[in-house]
Amino acid sequence: MMQHNPVRGEVVVRFGGRSWRLCLTLGALAELEDMLNVPDLTALAQRFSEGRISARDLIALITAGLHGGGHAVSPEDVARMAHAEGLTGFIAVAARLLQATFPEEPGADAADEKA
């Protein structure tokens, strides 16, 4: 399985039988702000903390994470990807990526590689 650096906020997931590294780097976060038309990181965090997420949000978040992980994919590519657990799997990936990027506790570690 692909190695990842949880201190850096990386997670590794499987889409379509392939392992992918995701990371919300500063550039990926700026890209995500643009894709979701939010003014800043506070607004971005608030949007995701409300517990409501659209399919467009999932596509934007996963696309930005893949870009931060070094993958050249488009939102259309992400929209066509498959996860073994369907929509539930994509939601779990989004949750892991957000938790890895914005840990609730100082020094909190990223989630394991199950998703």
Side-chain angles (χ1 to χ4, degrees), residues 4-11 21-25 68-70 100-101 110:
H4 72 289
N5 181 350
V7 174
R8 187 171 174 252
E10 293 178 351
V11 298
R21 180 186 333 273
L22 286 78
C23 184
L24 289 177
T25 61
T101 304

Side-chain angles (χ1 to χ4, degrees), residues 1 3-4 8 10 22-23 33 38 44-45 47 49 56 59 68 71 75 79 88 100 105 111 113:
M1 181 166 273
Q3 296 295 314
H4 72 289
R8 187 171 174 252
E10 293 178 351
L22 286 78
C23 184
E33 289 172 347
V38 296
L44 188 64
R47 179 182 182 127
S49 70
R56 284 183 299 276
I59 291 169
H71 305 285
T88 303
E105 301 174 22
E113 295 183 18

Side-chain angles (χ1 to χ4, degrees), residues 5-68:
N5 181 350
V7 174
R8 187 171 174 252
E10 293 178 351
V11 298
V12 174
V13 300
R14 292 192 62 80
F15 295 129
R18 177 179 168 194
S19 291
W20 301 81
R21 180 186 333 273
L22 286 78
C23 184
L24 289 177
T25 61
L26 190 57
L29 286 165
E31 177 183 353
L32 187 56
E33 289 172 347
D34 287 344
M35 286 192 283
L36 297 178
N37 195 30
V38 296
D40 54 39
L41 288 173
T42 302
L44 188 64
Q46 181 178 8
R47 179 182 182 127
F48 289 119
S49 70
E50 292 174 352
R52 294 175 27 181
I53 189 164
S54 70
R56 284 183 299 276
D57 291 344
L58 285 173
I59 291 169
L61 179 60
I62 292 169
T63 300
L66 286 165
H67 288 173

Side-chain angles (χ1 to χ4, degrees), residues 67-108:
H67 288 173
H71 305 285
V73 297
S74 70
E76 294 79 17
D77 294 331
V78 173
R80 288 188 296 268
M81 288 181 171
H83 191 285
E85 296 175 21
L87 178 59
T88 303
F90 282 105
I91 293 169
V93 167
R96 285 183 53 214
L97 184 56
L98 289 169
Q99 176 60 36
T101 304
F102 304 106
E104 293 178 24
E105 301 174 22

